[in-house]
Amino acid sequence: MLIVDDVEINRVILSQFFQDDYAIVLAENGKQAWDIVRKEPVNIVLADLVMPVMDGFTLLSLIKKDERTANIPVIVMTGSSDSDNEVRAMEMGAADFITKPYHPTIVRYRVRNVMARLENEWRKLEQAAKDRQLSEIHRYVDRDALTDLYNRESFYRRAAEIMQSSMDVPYDIIYLDISCFKIINDLFRMETGNIILKTAAYYFRAVVGEDGIVGRLEADHFALCMPAEQFDPDTFFDGLESTVRSLGISHNIVFYAGIYPVEDAFLPVDQMCDRARLALERVRGSYVKRYAFYDKSMREQMLEEQMLVRDMEFALQDHQFCFFLQPIYNLHTNEVVSAEALVRWNHPTEGVISPGKFIPIFERNGFIVRLDRYTWESVCQYLRKELDQHGHVVPISANVSRLNFYNEDLLEYLLSLIGKYQLEPWMLRLEVTESAYTENPRQIAAVIQKFQEKGFQVLMDDFGSGFSSLNMLKNLSMDVLKIDMDFVPDIDKKNSRAQIIMKDVVRMAQELKTDIIVEGVETKDQIDYLDSIGCEKIQGYYYSRPVPQEDFEKLLYK
């Protein structure tokens, strides 16, 4: 994609919109752009109409008059009141126009619609040129080897063709997966899992008939495209469950589905599937509902996520991310003995964004790796400042997201930070969630051992929230267990089961010579009970919420 605009910030903004989809080339004026178009392969051009040296009209004219470049789609960018310029540009052969200021969703849709139309025309020409031998070759390329269904890319392509060739027929996109399919493979043999997938594929193919299409996108994820009037969810699931039960497998095999009623046949099919998958997430794990329809609230959620993804790169560069500190107290001395760094996003227009909104998104798209490293360095900078000003520090813990454990240079990077700011490893504590350990226990155990050998203290956060807590204690030597009060609610009620559980966990940790921090403590009764069973270190609203760094220093040095 070639982006042509004489204003640098406009080029940066547009680049961020498409950096995941295109290789981006930038030009400051029409002359630079024309030189690029003649020398390099360009799939699409976004060009401002008003520029020095050579304006957008001249560039558009040159592109459309040269037979080597005439097929390149050009989308022009205009001011909101430039209707005359829009008309003139369209008459000259512009594929579409975008008005300023830029709305990211509209910009993406316009670009994708232009490309979808061109791609659709290409597909029709290609289809007309195919012979029988080429069709047989494509069958092997387009099909999933196990189920003989369309694979991901061919499903996207064929579904678009079907919907765009039947514009008067409403279609549904149905996205399905199997609950806990990995467990089925673990409990039985891989062949059993394959039989389930092939049986489901047979049923899906029968349901869509000749008017629809079905694909296996990956693993146990399927997608159906079929006329809406032919799809009745309750009947569909009754038949599916009956078909799977006929296999006689001694395990409850549960499918969940999200349904997206197609409104625009030219919307890329991968986006349709994303919307259907959003609906699926609403019912995943439910014992009552097996399916959900996509609605506007999900769209708003998706747009919010797109906004966060759009802004995350600039936010990191602009230092919009910061960390608050929640102190950890010794309940006997009422002194701060350590703290946890909790990341916050101070968005310039949205205000403070909750980590609960952006952390899950960043974990899915991998940006959490860079955010973690940014946070670690920010904490090291703070520790260095405290050492310079006061001569001592309390240790601060920071989270290590599971994706970071797949980076071979993780330990080397942490040691480089310690060296850069002349700190001791014990000053920067590393928090690991129990869920990260249960996902990949061997690798994480090996990395944690290397951390400890270099002097870092490792904390297991959210202990008790997973399914392998005792197994984790058996196999992994942790420095500190952080127990959330949600693990043992009603701890302040006398003779409750919660008190027995907490007492035994504390005793077990003491015998393993593992320190304990109890999180989420809010009441004096909870404090008194924890004191009675030997817990000393407390983190929670009883003492303090997470606070800015300057407020933390007031608590530390009061």
Side-chain angles (χ1 to χ4, degrees):
M1 173 182 287
L2 172 59
I3 298 174
V4 193
D5 198 306
D6 60 310
V7 179
E8 182 179 3
I9 187 62
N10 289 341
R11 298 195 300 270
V12 171
I13 291 172
L14 289 169
S15 298
Q16 291 176 346
F17 290 172
F18 299 103
Q19 61 185 0
D20 292 334
D21 300 319
Y22 294 90
I24 306 297
V25 181
L26 304 177
E28 297 181 5
N29 55 60
K31 185 178 183 302
Q32 287 185 7
W34 178 236
D35 291 337
I36 292 170
V37 167
R38 287 185 297 172
K39 296 176 182 178
E40 301 180 20
V42 174
N43 297 109
I44 187 168
V45 177
L46 274 64
D48 192 18
L49 288 178
V50 181
M51 294 181 291
V53 184
M54 180 189 291
D55 63 18
F57 289 111
T58 306
L59 173 63
L60 176 60
S61 176
L62 290 172
I63 290 175
K64 292 304 171 183
K65 288 181 179 178
D66 192 323
E67 63 180 13
R68 297 169 298 176
T69 61
N71 291 327
I72 299 175
V74 180
I75 299 179
V76 298
M77 298 177 287
T78 68
S80 57
S81 59
D82 292 345
S83 57
D84 291 339
N85 283 343
E86 291 169 7
V87 172
R88 179 185 170 193
M90 298 298 281
E91 289 175 345
M92 293 175 63
D96 205 342
F97 64 89
I98 300 170
T99 57
K100 303 175 184 177
Y102 302 128
H103 187 295
T105 303
I106 293 175
V107 171
R108 289 193 188 96
Y109 285 168
R110 288 190 177 276
V111 170
R112 288 176 179 173
N113 284 344
V114 167
M115 297 304 289
R117 289 195 297 269
L118 291 175
E119 187 176 2
N120 189 47
E121 292 175 5
W122 175 83
R123 287 172 180 160
K124 289 179 180 178
L125 291 173
E126 181 191 45
Q127 187 66 28
K130 286 180 180 178
D131 55 31
R132 179 172 298 180
Q133 182 180 8
L134 188 58
S135 296
E136 286 298 317
I137 293 173
H138 279 184
R139 178 174 181 81
Y140 289 103
V141 173
D142 291 346
R143 298 285 177 167
D144 169 59
L146 176 66
T147 62
D148 199 36
L149 299 178
Y150 285 107
N151 59 29
R152 178 190 296 272
E153 295 304 323
S154 56
F155 173 80
Y156 291 163
R157 184 178 66 252
R158 288 287 297 126
E161 292 172 357
I162 290 172
M163 291 184 286
Q164 292 169 17
S165 63
S166 305
M167 299 292 292
D168 56 336
V169 178
Y171 277 83
D172 284 341
I173 293 289
I174 304 102
Y175 191 101
L176 300 108
D177 74 3
I178 304 172
S179 176
C180 302
F181 187 70
K182 184 178 184 299
I183 294 177
I184 295 172
N185 279 334
D186 291 341
L187 289 175
F188 305 97
R189 296 177 303 174
M190 187 71 71
E191 290 80 1
T192 302
N194 288 344
I195 289 172
I196 295 171
L197 295 176
K198 288 193 283 188
T199 302
Y202 175 83
Y203 177 78
F204 297 150
R205 192 184 292 110
V207 168
V208 301
E210 296 181 357
D211 297 325
I213 183 176
V214 56
R216 182 188 178 203
L217 305 188
E218 61 181 355
D220 60 321
H221 295 219
F222 296 88
L224 283 64
C225 172
M226 58 186 298
E229 63 179 12
Q230 297 180 20
F231 178 69
D232 177 76
D234 294 322
T235 303
F236 174 85
F237 271 95
D238 287 344
L240 175 58
E241 292 175 0
S242 175
T243 300
V244 174
R245 278 198 305 270
S246 69
L247 297 174
I249 298 171
S250 58
H251 186 83
N252 189 26
I253 301 164
V254 180
F255 281 81
Y256 292 98
I259 305 159
Y260 172 64
V262 177
E263 298 173 349
D264 177 8
F266 288 95
L267 183 71
V269 178
D270 62 332
Q271 292 187 30
M272 298 181 189
C273 289
D274 286 344
R275 295 183 180 187
R277 188 172 65 245
L278 277 177
L280 182 150
E281 295 298 332
R282 290 285 181 93
V283 294
R284 188 194 298 275
S286 170
Y287 293 99
V288 179
K289 296 187 66 177
R290 292 288 183 267
Y291 62 88
F293 283 87
Y294 176 85
D295 60 30
K296 289 185 178 179
S297 67
M298 297 176 192
R299 174 178 171 79
E300 291 170 0
Q301 175 188 344
M302 181 183 66
L303 292 177
E304 182 180 40
E305 290 188 4
Q306 289 177 344
M307 181 272 290
L308 297 178
V309 172
R310 178 200 69 197
D311 293 347
M312 65 186 186
E313 188 71 37
F314 181 75
L316 196 65
Q317 298 173 7
D318 196 42
H319 303 286
Q320 293 173 18
F321 294 104
C322 66
F323 66 89
F324 278 27
L325 290 166
Q326 186 170 26
I328 297 167
Y329 279 79
N330 183 310
L331 61 77
H332 292 152
T333 63
N334 283 327
E335 293 180 342
V336 177
V337 293
S338 60
E340 179 182 1
L342 299 163
V343 69
R344 297 290 186 266
W345 185 352
N346 292 315
H347 195 281
T349 59
E350 302 296 324
V352 178
I353 302 175
S354 166
K357 288 186 176 181
F358 62 83
I359 292 296
I361 298 171
F362 293 172
E363 286 179 337
R364 289 198 299 270
N365 66 18
F367 189 74
I368 192 67
V369 172
R370 296 178 59 197
L371 180 59
D372 273 0
R373 295 195 173 199
Y374 176 87
T375 303
W376 300 336
E377 180 150 17
S378 299
V379 170
C380 288
Q381 290 173 345
Y382 175 77
L383 288 168
R384 182 68 257 167
K385 183 193 71 153
E386 288 295 291
L387 276 174
D388 292 340
Q389 292 181 354
H390 302 285
H392 64 89
V393 295
V394 296
I396 296 176
S397 62
N399 188 57
V400 181
S401 300
R402 60 181 179 81
L403 289 180
N404 272 296
F405 284 95
Y406 295 96
N407 289 329
E408 295 182 357
D409 68 337
L410 174 60
L411 179 57
E412 180 182 347
Y413 179 78
L414 288 167
L415 289 172
S416 72
L417 286 179
I418 296 299
K420 178 179 179 180
Y421 293 98
Q422 299 180 359
L423 304 172
E424 296 296 329
W426 64 264
M427 298 175 182
L428 177 64
R429 291 180 164 184
L430 306 173
E431 293 206 14
V432 182
T433 63
E434 184 182 342
S435 59
Y437 170 77
T438 55
E439 180 179 299
N440 195 345
R442 289 187 179 180
Q443 180 171 354
I444 291 183
V447 175
I448 287 175
Q449 183 178 354
K450 292 178 181 178
F451 286 160
Q452 294 169 325
E453 289 172 354
K454 294 297 183 180
F456 290 100
Q457 287 197 331
V458 183
L459 292 71
M460 177 60 70
D461 196 14
D462 299 332
F463 177 77
S465 62
F467 298 101
S468 305
S469 302
L470 295 178
N471 189 51
M472 182 273 296
L473 283 180
K474 176 173 69 71
N475 297 324
L476 193 60
S477 175
M478 302 300 299
D479 297 296
V480 182
L481 295 182
K482 298 189 73 176
I483 305 174
D484 195 295
M485 288 296 293
D486 287 342
F487 172 48
V488 280
D490 303 325
I491 196 176
D492 49 359
K493 294 182 179 179
K494 291 184 178 180
N495 301 319
S496 67
R497 296 169 67 90
Q499 289 188 346
I500 297 172
I501 294 171
M502 178 63 86
K503 184 177 180 180
D504 284 344
V505 169
V506 172
R507 177 185 56 79
M508 182 171 51
Q510 289 171 342
E511 292 186 7
L512 292 171
K513 303 187 184 307
T514 301
D515 204 358
I516 281 184
I517 297 172
V518 183
E519 301 178 283
V521 179
E522 298 183 355
T523 69
K524 182 64 166 61
D525 287 341
Q526 292 171 347
I527 288 286
D528 291 340
Y529 179 73
L530 293 171
D531 187 15
S532 72
I533 63 174
C535 292
E536 294 184 354
K537 295 175 182 176
I538 306 297
Q539 178 180 354
Y541 287 3
Y542 178 80
Y543 284 109
S544 174
R545 294 171 178 267
V547 295
Q549 297 167 23
E550 55 271 20
D551 292 341
F552 173 74
E553 292 170 16
K554 294 176 184 177
L555 297 173
L556 186 60
Y557 301 115
K558 66 179 179 180

